Amino acid sequence: MSNDPYAESGEFIDVLSRGAWEALRVPLAQALAQARPDQGPIVDIGAGTGLGTLVAARAVPGADLIAVEPSPILRAALLARLAGDDMSRRVTVQATDAGGMVLPGRLGAVLAINMIGHLTPDHRRALWADLRPRLAPAAPLVVNLQPPPEPVAVPETAFTSVPVGRQTYQGSGGARPDGPDSVVWTMRYRVLTEDGTVERELVVDYPWYVLSAQMLLDELAAAGYAATVGEMDVVVATPA
Ligand SMILES: C[S@@+](CC[C@H](N)C(=O)[O-])C[C@H]1O[C@@H](n2cnc3c(N)ncnc32)[C@H](O)[C@@H]1O
């Protein structure tokens, strides 16, 4: 995709996302206890480097999965994660975005983790409508909410710091309002040497559509789902 917001920052996404995934792993696996792999595949929309795809594959043994990922650099990391792992036989990668994915008529579960703010409100609502008749009875659509819930400023905050060899990878970010339903997250990625010197720094802007829990619950109800917000702001919706 020519407008891939991860084209430059893709290098940093996996290493700096692992901590967040430690906290997301259990709520996601619990939500997937309702998956219906006998009815259809589990779809991971915006799979990134596959951290959630891996959780899903392990949580639902034997399930087929479709990992949808538009960014070439993140897809490369996803394919590297799959290579040599037993689960690679079960995961089909689609090199496209949510609007371009090709799905079967029946799905066993759907994930949209750490990605929903990339979709415009219209695209988001179209997605709920498209998925609703495909989801098997009681099968979950799992979406997580991310801050801010409304278009407000978020001061720059350090998110994570990960030692790799003699260097440390750091991620920080802040957001500024950018219209009635969106912000721009400005993320700063740094590589520090042992003495704390900044060896490299990359600053990237990501447009992000904000979504509060109530907005999401209302949209899902309007699209024919029953949904609840759980631990780590993980929303589980099932066809009503
Ligand atoms: C912050 S990353 C999260 C990746 C992964 N779900 C995770 O939690 O580790 C956001 C992901 O959404 C993807 N993405 C962006 N726009 C998208 C769209 N319109 N449809 C599907 N995925 C999209 C990005 O390429 C990226 O992989």
Side-chain angles (χ1 to χ4, degrees), residues 33-225:
Q34 293 173 241
R36 299 293 309 274
D38 54 320
Q39 298 281 308
I42 297 172
V43 183
D44 186 6
I45 303 174
T49 64
L51 289 164
T53 315
L54 184 62
V55 171
R58 292 196 172 139
V60 192
D64 278 337
L65 296 100
I66 297 173
V68 178
E69 178 46 52
S71 164
I73 186 168
L74 297 183
R75 214 164 52 238
L78 166 66
L79 288 163
R81 170 157 286 122
L82 296 177
D85 190 300
D86 262 7
M87 75 171 179
S88 68
R89 285 178 288 109
R90 298 194 274 130
V91 184
T92 301
V93 175
Q94 290 192 11
T96 185
D97 60 14
M101 61 190 175
V102 178
L103 300 180
R106 230 22 174 178
L107 300 174
V110 176
L111 312 179
I113 303 295
N114 299 327
M115 64 76 63
I116 202 62
H118 283 306
L119 304 186
T120 66
D122 282 350
H123 285 145
R124 205 169 60 216
R125 287 188 280 265
L127 181 64
W128 310 148
D130 179 59
L131 295 174
R132 166 69 183 78
R134 296 179 195 270
L135 276 165
L141 160 64
V142 189
V143 184
N144 70 325
L145 293 159
Q146 290 189 286
E150 50 200 37
V152 293
V154 179
E156 183 166 341
T157 311
F159 290 136
T160 189
S161 187
V162 181
V164 180
R166 293 177 181 274
Q167 297 169 319
T168 300
Y169 284 67
Q170 284 186 347
S172 60
R176 64 173 190 277
D178 188 42
D181 53 11
S182 57
V183 294
V184 172
W185 272 102
T186 299
M187 294 294 300
R188 187 185 306 278
Y189 306 97
R190 280 180 165 164
V191 181
L192 308 183
T193 61
E194 271 176 307
D195 66 4
T197 305
V198 178
E199 196 171 79
R200 286 198 290 145
E201 179 175 273
L202 175 68
V203 177
V204 176
D205 281 349
Y206 301 90
W208 188 258
Y209 291 93
V210 296
L211 186 60
S212 69
Q214 195 56 55
M215 281 166 65
L216 179 58
L217 293 177
D218 289 348
E219 279 183 11
L220 290 168
Y225 297 83

